[in-house]
Amino acid sequence: LMERVCGICSNIHTLTLCQAMEKLTGLTPPPRAQYIRVVIAELERLHSHVLWAGIAAKLMGFKTMFMTCFELREKVMDILQAISGNRVNYSMNRIGGVNRDIEDPLAILGMVEALEREMVRTVIPIFTTSTTAISRCAGIGVLTREKAVSCGAVGPVARASGLPQDLRRAAPYAAYAEMEFDVPVQQGGDVKARLLVRALEIMESCKILRQALTKMPPGELNAGESKVVFSTGTATSRVEAPRGEVMYSVSWKESARNPSRVHVRTPTFANMPAIRYMVIGARLADTPLIQASIDPCYSCTDR
């Protein structure tokens, strides 16, 4: 059920849920499972960011760039399909580990490196130097650092306003503590800054994927088929989704067969109030792009 909260971030929702439930069961996923979780999470981040870049290009009237981004998106989805068998809703996570192995990590690595080369050759240079992109993004929809703090903004929206917050670094989960990567931050707080943060995060995701695929340890994929016993209480889990922090709170009552409560807080819910400050003084024609710059997901916010 939770995998269907969001079509773009389906893996992140199952990962966050499983981590909360693992706290209630005392299960610890094996090291290989933790690495596989990182790989799928970063591929999903790539998919989300490239998809967003295409939509942003379309809203700018930059349809050639839209097609370029969506071609790259297909390549990311091909990688996810090669691993899981599905382009979306990968069904990779389970309580205590993962359901599927990555049997040939180096083959996946080749696909990732090809994607990275295309990003460096095409997408990032065009978005950072194109007159069309700069004229539609620079100085538009500014969210100051102070307003980002007061609104509780998360993810790329917060980092584009100068806040270096990223749960992968601040509160590592899965195998992120073993990965070396930077947290891209911009100070402008405008649409251009949010675009640049996501573009730079694509490069960092490729860096993380290279490490995870080359250093993946051998071993089991999950904690096994033994009966899962839940302890009474409430457990929380926080994960850095492509749009920002996702938080799950899962409560379990004694002798229950299902959770008594599962509460989900999505990054769009946290970022949406900031739009009211971004649009102050903006032209009406810029408001669709300003709203799109937070990469909103209304399905997971409504859930």
Side-chain angles (χ1 to χ4, degrees):
L1 286 174
M2 303 316 294
E3 188 163 43
R4 286 158 176 78
V5 165
C6 176
I8 305 300
C9 300
S10 62
N11 176 76
I12 283 295
H13 282 276
T14 60
L15 172 58
T16 317
L17 176 72
C18 286
Q19 287 188 164
M21 299 183 93
E22 283 158 6
K23 292 180 181 179
L24 291 171
T25 60
L27 294 175
T28 301
R32 188 174 182 86
Q34 301 282 32
Y35 270 72
I36 292 173
R37 285 181 172 183
V38 167
V39 170
I40 302 299
E42 292 308 309
L43 286 170
E44 190 169 67
R45 192 180 316 278
L46 284 177
H47 174 227
S48 180
H49 283 359
V50 174
L51 171 65
W52 176 84
I55 293 171
K58 186 174 186 295
L59 289 169
M60 294 176 201
F62 204 167
K63 291 189 177 180
T64 302
M65 197 63 205
F66 165 77
M67 295 303 295
T68 299
C69 291
F70 267 56
E71 181 185 7
L72 290 175
R73 177 185 178 232
E74 289 295 315
K75 293 180 180 179
V76 179
M77 297 180 84
D78 286 345
I79 300 174
L80 286 162
Q81 185 175 22
I83 295 172
S84 70
N86 276 338
R87 288 159 58 86
V88 293
N89 291 3
Y90 321 111
S91 299
M92 289 294 291
N93 294 305
R94 59 181 285 172
I95 302 171
V98 295
N99 287 313
R100 297 181 185 85
D101 196 5
I102 298 178
E103 296 179 358
D104 189 356
L106 295 182
I108 302 299
L109 179 61
M111 299 168 78
V112 170
E113 290 179 339
L115 174 69
E116 184 179 27
R117 286 193 297 271
E118 190 65 25
M119 289 298 304
V120 172
R121 186 177 70 88
T122 305
V123 177
I124 293 178
I126 290 178
F127 271 130
T128 53
T129 63
S130 162
T131 303
T132 300
I134 293 173
S135 64
R136 288 302 310 276
C137 297
I140 304 296
V142 175
L143 180 70
T144 65
R145 180 188 176 100
E146 292 71 26
K147 284 298 183 184
V149 171
S150 66
C151 290
V154 297
V157 174
R159 293 190 282 275
S161 294
L163 299 175
Q165 59 184 46
D166 190 318
L167 289 174
R168 295 173 297 171
R169 174 66 57 76
Y173 52 92
Y176 280 110
E178 301 175 39
M179 305 294 156
E180 295 183 6
F181 62 97
D182 296 320
V183 177
V185 177
Q186 294 287 313
Q187 304 298 328
D190 55 2
V191 173
K192 180 184 176 183
R194 293 189 278 278
L195 190 156
L196 286 174
V197 163
R198 291 188 178 93
L200 293 171
E201 285 186 5
I202 287 173
M203 304 308 297
E204 294 303 315
S205 288
C206 291
K207 185 190 298 184
I208 293 171
L209 283 165
R210 189 179 299 108
Q211 295 174 69
L213 289 166
T214 55
K215 299 193 302 183
M216 188 175 294
E220 299 297 323
L221 299 179
N222 52 66
E225 298 291 342
S226 58
K227 185 178 179 180
V228 177
V229 179
F230 292 90
S231 58
T232 303
T234 298
T236 60
S237 174
R238 298 188 303 152
V239 166
E240 188 71 28
R243 296 175 174 90
E245 178 185 317
V246 171
M247 191 277 288
Y248 269 58
S249 174
V250 180
S251 299
W252 206 279
K253 292 183 178 179
E254 187 176 0
S255 303
R257 297 181 61 187
N258 295 299
S260 58
R261 184 173 187 264
V262 175
H263 176 74
V264 183
R265 197 191 84 152
T266 64
T268 300
F269 182 81
N271 286 329
M272 203 180 294
I275 296 175
R276 71 176 72 181
Y277 301 105
M278 297 178 188
V279 298
I280 293 175
R283 296 175 299 178
L284 182 62
D286 288 330
T287 54
L289 180 59
I290 292 171
Q291 177 170 286
S293 71
I294 75 165
D295 192 10
C297 178
Y298 300 112
S299 61
C300 67
T301 302
D302 284 344
R303 58 189 182 281

